[in-house]
Amino acid sequence: MAVEYYDFGPHKIHHSSVFYTSNLSFAFVNLRPAVTGHVLVCSKREVKRVADLTDDETIDLWRIAKKLGRQLESYHKASSLSFGIQDGPQAGQTVPHVHIHILPWKSGDYENNDDIYDDMNEKEKELNRALKVDVERKDRSIEEMALEADEYRKFVF
């Protein structure tokens, strides 16, 4: 039987938002994407820091991130990718569960490309503040996220 929710630190990710799973990891669409196609890959075992992962978990996370990145870049007709991990609270990690952000980039997504890091950190902080909606960005509905996850399931390896 499939799980209804996946644990992501203190948060629950509805199974409809998850578009890929392995024995050790899962990938899901972002509640508040910084750019179109912004997804996360997370270890199934809840660990706070990269150093806490087993070697097999580390390999699995990056194997999935690499393959998904290539597929997302093609699907979204992007020209570049960012892979991001905030490893610990002083590095900007607000969800205490190891995860990799994958962002497909198109020309013009950000005037200054480094602004993406501030945006990602702010979005994680917002998520950690009980998923409150702000004026500029609205949480996507489970239905919207499920539709995006359905699209990605079509091309996942």
Side-chain angles (χ1 to χ4, degrees):
M1 181 175 125
V3 297
E4 186 173 0
Y5 291 94
Y6 290 80
D7 291 325
F8 179 47
H11 308 289
K12 300 290 185 193
I13 305 301
H14 193 268
H15 71 89
S16 65
S17 298
V18 174
F19 62 93
Y20 181 80
T21 63
S22 71
N23 289 336
L24 301 173
S25 307
F26 64 100
F28 58 102
V29 299
N30 201 315
L31 181 65
R32 292 185 177 174
V35 296
T36 301
H38 179 182
V39 302
L40 297 111
V41 181
C42 187
S43 61
K44 282 187 176 175
R45 188 170 66 93
E46 189 175 333
V47 297
K48 293 180 181 180
R49 303 289 309 275
V50 171
D52 299 329
L53 294 168
T54 66
D55 289 345
D56 287 341
E57 289 169 327
T58 302
I59 291 166
D60 194 62
L61 273 174
W62 282 108
R63 180 186 62 80
I64 292 167
K66 176 184 165 186
K67 287 185 177 187
L68 285 179
R70 183 178 298 135
Q71 292 170 325
L72 289 164
E73 184 175 4
S74 175
Y75 179 82
H76 290 289
K77 297 176 178 48
S79 58
S80 300
L81 295 167
S82 286
F83 297 89
I85 296 176
Q86 292 84 25
D87 190 30
Q90 285 69 41
Q93 181 186 32
T94 57
V95 178
H97 190 156
V98 172
H99 57 285
I100 301 172
H101 293 263
I102 306 174
L103 298 99
W105 286 84
K106 295 179 184 174
S107 181
D109 279 340
Y110 279 82
E111 188 173 327
N112 175 11
N113 286 347
D114 285 343
D115 289 345
I116 188 68
Y117 302 110
D118 292 334
D119 203 17
M120 282 174 35
N121 286 336
E122 183 57 33
K123 287 179 184 189
E124 283 205 17
K125 287 176 188 172
E126 290 170 6
L127 180 64
N128 210 37
R129 288 185 296 236
L131 303 175
K132 292 182 181 175
V133 177
D134 65 22
V135 175
E136 294 179 27
R137 291 184 286 278
K138 304 280 186 214
D139 292 348
R140 298 190 301 165
S141 70
I142 288 180
E143 293 80 15
E144 289 172 303
M145 293 169 64
L147 285 173
E148 182 180 353
D150 285 345
E151 280 299 306
Y152 297 160
R153 281 187 201 100
K154 293 176 186 175
F155 64 74
V156 175
F157 41 97

